[in-house]
Amino acid sequence: MKASQFFISTLKEAPADAEVVSHQLMMRAGMIKRLGAGIYNYMPMGLRVIRKVEGIIREEMNRAGAVELLMPVVQPAELWQETGRFDKMGPELMRVKDRHDRDFIIQPTSEEVVTDIARQELRSYKQLPRNFYHIQTKFRDERRPRFGVMRGREFTMKDAYSFDRDEAGATRSYEAMFAAYKRIFDRFGLEYRAVAADTGAIGGDLSHEFQVIAETGEDAIVYCPTSDYAANIELAEGVALLSVRAAAGAVMAKTSTPGKSTCADVAALLGLPLAQTVKSLVLATDELDEHGDVKKTTVWLLLLRGDHDMNEVKAGKVEGLKGGFRFATLAEIEEHFGCKPGYLGPVGLRKPVKVIADRTVANMADFVCGANEPDFHLTGVNWGRDLPEPDAVVDIRNVVEGDPSPDGKGVLAIQRGIEVGHVFFLGTKYSKAMNANYLDETGKPQLMQMGCYGIGVTRILGAAIEQNHDARGIIWPISIAPFQVVLCPIGYDRSADVKVAADALHDELAAAGIDVLLDDRGERPGAMFADWELIGVPLRVVLSDRGLKEGLLEMQGRREAEAQKIAVAEVGAVVKARLSA
Amino acid sequence: MKASQFFISTLKEAPADAEVVSHQLMMRAGMIKRLGAGIYNYMPMGLRVIRKVEGIIREEMNRAGAVELLMPVVQPAELWQETGRFDKMGPELMRVKDRHDRDFIIQPTSEEVVTDIARQELRSYKQLPRNFYHIQTKFRDERRPRFGVMRGREFTMKDAYSFDRDEAGATRSYEAMFAAYKRIFDRFGLEYRAVAADTGAIGGDLSHEFQVIAETGEDAIVYCPTSDYAANIELAEGVALLSVRAAAGAVMAKTSTPGKSTCADVAALLGLPLAQTVKSLVLATDELDEHGDVKKTTVWLLLLRGDHDMNEVKAGKVEGLKGGFRFATLAEIEEHFGCKPGYLGPVGLRKPVKVIADRTVANMADFVCGANEPDFHLTGVNWGRDLPEPDAVVDIRNVVEGDPSPDGKGVLAIQRGIEVGHVFFLGTKYSKAMNANYLDETGKPQLMQMGCYGIGVTRILGAAIEQNHDARGIIWPISIAPFQVVLCPIGYDRSADVKVAADALHDELAAAGIDVLLDDRGERPGAMFADWELIGVPLRVVLSDRGLKEGLLEMQGRREAEAQKIAVAEVGAVVKARLSA
């Protein structure tokens, strides 16, 4: 293709509201154009990348036996009422009424619609397994859309849904999708990690996120460099850092810690390691009566080592906290502890409180905690002797770098990642709500076992750029670059030799199936090179009168510091070799 | 592809709510599945057709120099308020509020968004002309969605928008699109006609509809078989059927026509040709004051020959009726004519009435019309002698078969058509409302001249089927068929010979780039053949043990009554030849 047949629009400066580098570079490279908060036009340059991403996904989904269809953007509310999501989902579900005042939603995903298709179309065990997918516009009315296409409101997603006869079949479908996702992300040419993720209310361990590694990622992903353990930090298991509880070695003593309300301050004041302190977090749960009024409130004390942080997802799985919890009010804290926050602890509680100790805290001895008296802490505290054993010992913390891997095969490291794919075993959550049965070999109706598998198509663009850019612009992997090669002739509009050579090379590469763009705009070399470095085309070939006189062109990879001189007669072969390497 | 890797779902009976044959056949062939009124899932078989239609459109749009981008489905109301369409459009414009109570619309088209892009991106005359298009989901909240994908609410449309420096440029862009559309519809393999269409408020003569010919079409299209004249009936010019007015030959007389309130009844009663009668239609226009109250009402009498029908679009262009008209009330009619409808006429009016005569009526002599007295008509009426000349003589009728072609090159014929494409010169309608300027060579801002060009992608499917089907099912043109060839092996699951031959032929055709499906479902021949005739694959190849023993296969085109025996060794070449013919 020639630039004059295409649309190229680059900016020197990114708009002020572009906070992250991928957003800035996509705006500057003319890939996207903002239409509203979290709503973007995909300009021709950006759409080319989307189409390549979609093409790879489609090929690998088809190869894995999934079948493409297309479900609507605007969906009747009735199906969403069957599963309860119409009412349960928050305002991120865009609701709309038609001219007859009937309720519809703008799809954020398509579980309901695909399950409706399955319950009508898949009636016999002979028709299973089955995997349907579509690549379609989605809408989520994010409270705070940001980071360009990374957290937009309208976006393109590939969502697939598998239907199986039983859990064993669903597991095979899940594994097939997991393998397909690995092929897809390998082909994208991105550094990524498949990490175990929380399954929420569904349970089980079949949920993996595909995270593109990037320092700017919103997610913390935990892995063991010496084994294949990898999990989202929400899920990564924190083991007890002390394998057994040591015997008490000190006498419990109250010590003055005026104004020292954090573990770090107390440890510094007392000259003790932070790992000897215990942090107290006070939560509350409310039991409601039939009118929805609070019948009974329970106060919970969660104990973590001073250098650890609470993991809210793990806390939400603690027996008694599963139904939802909140942080306790100041009044509730003073009523139960007789003290303001900053000096709280598990010793000498005034009223019944459920005490949950993190695994590590449960094995600590001679520890330091608040004295439940302003400006005082206790030292030399020991379980059993100074206070009762905790009501429960549970993993409720975020793991940290250097923690032992839960598989016992090394220590954990942490990276930042951007979630761009998710494979998830759904079980019968939707098939049960929507009565999606098939008839088994004996003619008995059975619920279908489902899985769902998403890839954020448009988000891939942002993630790829967060991972691959430099001061000059984007660096696209070859497989998803808007063009694989750009030909930059110097003086295309002035020199017949340059024009002839550029046109011939363009035609040769295009005929070989290479996605080549010839920049025939007649820009000056500096501006032209800057544009293509910003846009991030992997390979640039420069043609000039001076070079052609010597029979040479210059080729430079986007990550390379220097250009390489290549004989005109060889450049076609060299480019082809570079692209297929 | 093999059927076992795909999803095939056919029905013996069409659902009761499918009124037209294309809707019935698409449902029965498993192309679409209803989700709600006017909202369909595109099942795998239907999606394949959509992708082929989109592929042809994309290739030809690119060839014509248009550049693809992607504009959002959910669009902020602000832009639609700039052009006034947010308020002016009726309930077919789906409006929605986001979580912050801001207004959005679900796009029915994208003039506003693309003009917003153009006014930001196209700032210099050097950047023009430019044509942007996208293929995207649209939504129109039709009052009465029907006919399946022919008048659905959610549908896929290709919409392109051209931007030019001046009208001459816009005309060239229009002509380039017109030519591209002809290539697109030629490639679809459909019988179609490009007809001149009404330009409404924009004016000018640059508007053409691309109509797929089908008896069941909603539109009447007028053409001259001996010239290239073709127009939508809304626009087709009705010439005066009498070239000059004959001299009066009869005396005006009042004749009793009790109960004969139609021209046909009167002509029959009097033994006169219908073409000698004149039909009276009474319209009214209201002038409003600044409060929106009616200040003044004008009554209009439109006169048509008894065998002609009023064309509302043409009437709406009459000077004085342009601002909108209504049919007069009974009270208004009695006040002005002193008579009830059925016996009205232009002679002896009691109050001022604007009289508009159709071109043909203006040249009539000795005509028959109502006497403005119940149960009486006048005969032998003549302009000038018995009543004043009309206030205006205008073409206000629908043409009929046999009328002279307005280009003087023959007589008109009428066909039914389904509108699937539209090219339209917009002028500065949107650029003016949205202040979309470019700087000309002298640095002066000028409004861009625009055109818009739509193709109803999903509607193409319905139109193609309305035109191409028989009692057994759909007959797809090769270029948009879901598969080009289906291989039907008899006993694929029982006979090794059949399996080997079928697999080999499948692989051979697939390797040659032919879109082939091998039906490996193991269905009985009758059911298998019926499925593929219903689905409408253009070419079927049957492999059987008996045939293979003789070294023969059977090939049959979907429109052919008989199969043709072909040697196994030749079948690949024969199929390839058939498909490229």
Side-chain angles (χ1 to χ4, degrees), chain A residues 227-487:
Chain A
S227 79
D228 59 2
Y229 182 82
N232 188 308
I233 200 159
E234 291 181 349
L235 188 72
E237 185 183 351
V239 299
L241 297 179
L242 304 163
S243 53
V244 291
R245 190 190 290 171
V251 173
M252 183 168 80
K254 191 160 84 177
T255 180
S256 170
T257 52
K260 308 298 181 192
S261 60
T262 68
C263 286
D265 286 348
V266 171
L269 177 74
L270 303 179
L272 292 170
L274 184 55
Q276 209 163 325
T277 64
V278 166
K279 185 189 286 188
S280 296
L281 291 169
V282 188
L283 305 181
T285 53
D286 298 316
E287 210 176 310
L288 304 183
D289 65 16
E290 67 270 32
H291 308 295
D293 297 324
V294 176
K295 196 164 67 180
K296 186 185 162 201
T297 292
T298 307
V299 170
W300 302 71
L301 177 61
L302 270 62
L303 300 173
L304 292 145
R305 202 169 78 174
D307 56 342
H308 287 158
D309 288 322
M310 181 175 83
N311 180 313
E312 287 202 31
V313 171
K314 291 179 181 178
K317 292 178 186 168
V318 169
E319 204 56 54
L321 297 179
K322 280 180 186 167
F325 60 83
R326 58 179 173 81
F327 284 93
T329 63
L330 198 58
E332 286 166 342
I333 290 172
E334 294 197 328
E335 179 190 346
H336 288 77
F337 296 85
C339 176
K340 66 181 178 184
Y343 305 92
L344 306 178
V347 180
L349 298 171
R350 297 171 60 169
K351 285 192 126 188
V353 166
K354 290 267 190 191
V355 177
I356 308 295
D358 179 66
R359 287 170 172 177
T360 296
V361 170
N363 281 359
M364 285 168 74
D366 297 339
F367 60 82
V368 176
C369 63
N372 292 326
E373 187 179 332
D375 299 330
F376 282 93
H377 278 78
L378 298 173
T379 60
V381 182
N382 283 277
W383 291 108
R385 185 189 74 184
D386 305 322
L387 77 168
E389 291 291 337
D391 294 305
V393 177
V394 194
D395 170 25
I396 49 170
R397 71 177 174 95
N398 283 333
V399 299
V400 293
E401 294 240 11
D403 277 359
S405 176
D407 64 3
K409 295 179 182 169
V411 294
L412 296 178
I414 296 183
Q415 280 178 315
R416 306 301 298 181
I418 300 166
E419 186 196 340
V420 286
H422 201 157
V423 290
F424 202 101
F425 171 68
L426 287 170
T428 57
K429 179 177 172 178
Y430 290 91
S431 52
K432 197 169 178 184
M434 297 182 66
N435 206 22
N437 291 308
Y438 69 94
L439 297 181
D440 68 12
E441 292 90 329
T442 67
K444 227 179 85 180
Q446 301 284 359
L447 288 178
M448 289 186 253
Q449 293 281 343
M450 290 174 58
C452 68
Y453 317 94
I455 295 181
V457 172
T458 38
R459 186 185 267 199
I460 294 282
L461 276 63
I465 296 171
E466 290 291 333
Q467 185 180 87
N468 300 283
H469 65 271
D470 62 16
R472 290 171 294 154
I474 302 168
I475 308 173
W476 290 110
I478 287 171
S479 64
I480 60 174
F483 297 97
Q484 296 174 311
V485 190
V486 59
L487 307 185

Side-chain angles (χ1 to χ4, degrees), chain A residues 189-192 212-214 216 418 462-469 559:
Chain A
L190 298 174
E191 191 194 345
Y192 71 95
V212 167
I213 306 304
T216 51
I418 300 166
I465 296 171
E466 290 291 333
Q467 185 180 87
N468 300 283
H469 65 271
R559 289 190 191 273

Side-chain angles (χ1 to χ4, degrees), chain A residues 15 17 76 83 89 112 122 131 139 145 162 164 186 234 243 253 273 298 307 322 387 393 488 535 548 550 562 576:
Chain A
D17 66 337
T83 61
M89 272 188 79
E112 280 79 359
L122 308 176
N131 187 327
F139 199 92
S162 64
D164 274 276
D186 285 344
E234 291 181 349
S243 53
T298 307
D307 56 342
K322 280 180 186 167
L387 77 168
V393 177
C488 294
I535 292 165
L548 289 172
E550 299 168 29
E562 295 284 330
K576 284 175 226 167

Side-chain angles (χ1 to χ4, degrees), chain A residues 29 31 45 48-49 473-478 480-488 515-517 529-541 556-559 578-579:
Chain A
M31 302 255 165
M45 193 69 77
R48 286 185 75 86
V49 181
I474 302 168
I475 308 173
W476 290 110
I478 287 171
I480 60 174
F483 297 97
Q484 296 174 311
V485 190
V486 59
L487 307 185
C488 294
D515 197 5
V516 58
L517 185 111
F529 296 170
D531 270 356
W532 294 109
E533 286 174 340
L534 173 58
I535 292 165
V537 170
L539 207 55
R540 179 177 80 199
V541 176
Q556 186 170 353
R558 178 63 182 81
R559 289 190 191 273
R578 267 292 286 268
L579 293 176

Side-chain angles (χ1 to χ4, degrees), chain A residues 51-110:
Chain A
R51 294 287 184 244
K52 294 199 177 182
V53 168
E54 289 177 350
I56 290 171
I57 292 173
R58 188 170 280 129
E59 278 181 29
E60 295 300 338
M61 290 301 293
N62 293 349
R63 188 198 307 270
V67 180
E68 188 175 6
L69 43 65
L70 190 66
M71 294 177 278
V73 172
V74 178
Q75 304 181 346
E78 284 82 353
L79 294 176
W80 288 71
Q81 281 155 346
E82 278 192 57
T83 61
R85 290 213 294 174
F86 186 77
D87 297 313
K88 260 184 266 172
M89 272 188 79
E92 69 273 14
L93 180 66
M94 187 93 145
R95 295 161 175 89
V96 54
K97 283 180 186 290
D98 76 356
R99 65 194 295 153
H100 302 297
D101 216 37
R102 283 187 292 247
D103 288 311
F104 290 80
I105 60 96
I106 314 294
Q107 70 154 346
T109 56
S110 277

